[in-house]
Amino acid sequence: MTPSADVDWAALRAQARDAMSHAYAPYSGYPVGVAALVDDGRTVSGCNVENASYGLGLCAECGLVSELQRTGGGRLTHFTCVDGKGDILVPCGRCRQLLYEFGGADLLLETPAGILPLAEMLPQAFGPDHLTK
């Protein structure tokens, strides 16, 4: 994995902001964009897509993971999330679980408190390994 210091977090955040500009958030008015690096060097991104039935809306992380799979799979290594103002935002608990599935405990997240491994954002996480025991 590329060390955090070698990652251009500003460029990754710019890609998240671009993704956020495509969000469909007519109900909450809260667009979100995300971007992540993949272990093979690709960058994937996503935006939230709401639905009139509210609970069926898709978080930006859902779009990112879908893009990851659509473009060849792999493991997420570095992740950032921005709100409608372009400010750094942390993923909700549901999305942290989704990121754990595709990035694991070592996935590095850009947060308002700095760069943190997902293990600190989702301690004692339940994951695929638990289903093979």
Side-chain angles (χ1 to χ4, degrees):
M1 178 188 317
T2 304
S4 174
D6 294 339
V7 170
D8 186 346
W9 287 98
L12 192 61
R13 200 173 323 111
Q15 290 184 317
R17 287 181 180 131
D18 180 61
M20 178 270 301
S21 73
H22 299 283
Y24 178 73
Y27 307 107
S28 71
Y30 198 79
V32 175
V34 296
L37 299 179
V38 182
D39 58 359
D40 64 5
R42 283 178 296 136
T43 301
V44 292
S45 62
C47 62
N48 59 322
V49 178
E50 294 180 348
N51 182 288
S53 64
Y54 292 110
L56 295 179
L58 299 173
C59 294
E61 291 83 351
C62 294
L64 178 132
V65 167
S66 180
E67 178 73 2
L68 173 70
Q69 291 304 109
R70 187 192 69 76
T71 60
R75 300 295 289 168
L76 301 174
T77 60
H78 300 77
F79 173 88
T80 193
C81 180
V82 298
D83 65 16
K85 297 177 192 169
D87 294 334
I88 298 168
L89 182 67
V90 296
C92 70
R94 174 189 178 272
C95 290
R96 291 176 197 187
Q97 184 67 45
L98 186 62
L99 293 171
Y100 186 81
E101 183 85 12
F102 293 93
D106 295 330
L107 172 62
L108 295 177
L109 280 72
E110 183 179 38
T111 76
I115 308 303
L116 297 173
L118 185 54
E120 288 187 34
M121 302 290 295
L122 189 65
Q124 301 182 41
F126 177 84
D129 292 343
H130 290 95
L131 298 175
T132 59
K133 291 181 180 179

